[in-house]
Amino acid sequence: MSTIEKAMGELRHTSPKSNAAEALKSSADVLSGAESQPAVTKIEGKKEPFKDSSRIIPINNSLLESLGMINNGSNESERQIKDEFRLIKHKLLKKAFTPEEGHKPSANKRNLIMVSSPNMNEGKTFVSINLALSIASEQDKTVLLIDADVLSPSIGDTLGFDNDMPGLTDYLLGNVGDLSDIIYPTTVPDFRVMPAGSSNNMSYELLSSGKMAALMEEIASRYSDRIILLDCPPLLGVVETVTLSNLVGQAIVVVEQNKTKLGDIKQAVALLNSEIDTGFVINKAVQTAGHGYGYGYGYGYGSKDNKK
């Protein structure tokens, strides 16, 4: 039994916040070493005009492929990773857009989803970007990916754009007045990005401010079809992430198969706001796949109010 399976089993019996279901498992080969080419990704053929083409972030298809991410490829690995993230996103979308009795979906803030991990280098940014790409392929949904890891931003490095672009911290500091100035369209239709912004030593004060809370409320309710993903810092030892869990409706905790310790998983989940729905993504779940071994992604899901 793997570390995460043990964790899910124990948390299901000991924590009211995470009745996580048994993780899904499938294999997906991770591609590496492919040389980046100046190609542009367009997923599912949707089209959307942009007024200012200079602000559009180009998403490089070859770069995505080299990183083992969702792209326009047609090989078996590409199909597998698409299928796995479809399974994850459908659970998230169902929660986000199914209203509780007497409430609109936006009132539950479940379209605000944070992605974190107990520790560094467990795959949270990889999961965040793939989820964003997968959600963008939906015919009636848009997705905004926010780099909320203002201490160590990595979305720009991963996708190949300048991390110095005005972003979240600049808006919170008042250096950028219009929210639209820090939301950038990409060459993937219905996929938007908000960079972390300028480095600042007051990250906790900014992310816990009333302006941050107001920002989350605004972007959660402005577009009824939008999912907002926040790529957050790790949970353990970073107070900013715990603060952010009070602003969202769902949380994804990314754990690495056979690396993340059971105690770290339990400690990380205990730090989250007990009122939000919490799910797990297993990263690098190695298993036999008929003709060899691959890397897969499992998903377990649960919440405080889900007793079944």
Side-chain angles (χ1 to χ4, degrees):
M1 181 178 292
S2 70
T3 299
I4 183 59
E5 286 169 332
K6 291 177 183 176
M8 288 181 178
E10 290 199 19
L11 288 169
R12 186 156 55 246
H13 291 95
T14 61
S15 172
K17 292 171 284 188
S18 43
N19 293 322
E22 184 170 342
L24 301 170
K25 290 194 175 182
S26 59
S27 65
D29 297 327
V30 175
L31 305 175
S32 61
E35 185 175 349
S36 177
Q37 299 295 328
V40 170
T41 298
K42 291 186 178 180
I43 295 178
E44 304 295 336
K46 290 191 292 182
K47 297 180 180 179
E48 184 174 353
F50 301 117
K51 294 180 179 179
D52 185 359
S53 60
S54 66
R55 298 186 72 252
I56 300 175
I57 295 174
I59 305 297
N60 190 305
N61 191 62
S62 295
L63 178 59
L64 294 178
E65 183 178 5
S66 73
L67 296 172
M69 291 184 169
I70 290 174
N71 59 81
N72 268 345
S74 59
N75 57 39
E76 183 62 21
S77 296
E78 163 67 2
R79 288 193 295 270
Q80 286 175 339
I81 194 170
K82 277 186 177 179
D83 287 344
E84 290 181 350
F85 277 94
R86 281 191 184 110
L87 291 172
I88 297 171
K89 77 171 175 183
H90 285 160
K91 294 174 183 285
L92 297 169
L93 292 176
K94 183 177 180 180
K95 278 285 185 182
F97 297 107
T98 301
E100 292 181 345
E101 186 176 353
H103 295 278
K104 295 180 179 180
S106 59
N108 303 320
K109 297 193 297 185
R110 287 178 173 170
N111 61 334
L112 286 169
I113 305 170
M114 65 179 292
V115 182
S116 187
S117 57
N119 304 293
M120 294 177 60
N121 302 319
E122 291 174 327
K124 66 179 183 63
T125 299
F126 181 85
V127 170
S128 297
I129 293 173
N130 275 305
L131 269 178
L133 291 168
S134 185
I135 293 169
S137 70
E138 293 286 309
Q139 293 300 308
D140 59 349
K141 298 289 183 290
T142 62
V143 60
L144 170 62
L145 177 59
I146 300 176
D147 195 340
D149 193 352
V150 297
L151 299 170
S152 182
S154 56
I155 288 176
D157 290 338
T158 305
L159 291 180
F161 66 83
D162 189 354
N163 268 325
D164 292 333
M165 298 167 67
L168 177 60
T169 56
D170 301 292
Y171 179 80
L172 295 176
L173 286 166
N175 297 332
V176 174
D178 195 330
L179 182 58
S180 63
D181 289 337
I182 60 168
I183 297 178
Y184 299 82
T186 74
T187 49
V188 175
D190 293 330
F191 177 25
R192 308 284 189 272
V193 174
M194 182 185 295
S198 305
S199 176
N200 191 279
N201 60 7
M202 295 180 62
S203 58
Y204 171 75
E205 288 78 8
L206 291 175
L207 295 178
S208 62
S209 66
K211 191 169 185 178
M212 179 66 179
L215 170 62
M216 294 294 100
E217 290 285 352
E218 180 178 357
I219 60 178
S221 59
R222 177 184 286 191
Y223 303 103
S224 61
D225 65 342
R226 176 169 285 180
I227 288 288
I228 299 93
L229 294 175
L230 291 88
D231 182 37
C232 297
L235 280 157
L236 298 182
V238 184
V239 69
E240 285 85 352
T241 315
V242 179
T243 299
L244 288 170
S245 75
N246 296 317
L247 304 179
V248 302
Q250 299 189 67
I252 297 173
V253 179
V254 179
V255 296
E256 185 171 335
Q257 179 85 353
N258 297 325
K259 176 184 176 182
T260 309
K261 296 178 181 178
L262 173 61
D264 287 351
I265 298 170
K266 296 174 70 174
Q267 184 181 352
V269 172
L271 292 171
L272 292 169
N273 180 354
S274 62
E275 299 300 319
I276 64 178
D277 298 293
T278 303
F280 298 88
V281 169
I282 308 172
N283 190 27
K284 300 181 183 178
V286 182
Q287 61 182 41
T288 303
H291 56 277
Y293 289 87
Y295 291 86
Y297 309 90
Y299 188 61
Y301 193 79
S303 68
K304 181 177 180 180
D305 57 0
N306 179 11
K307 304 298 183 184
K308 298 182 179 178

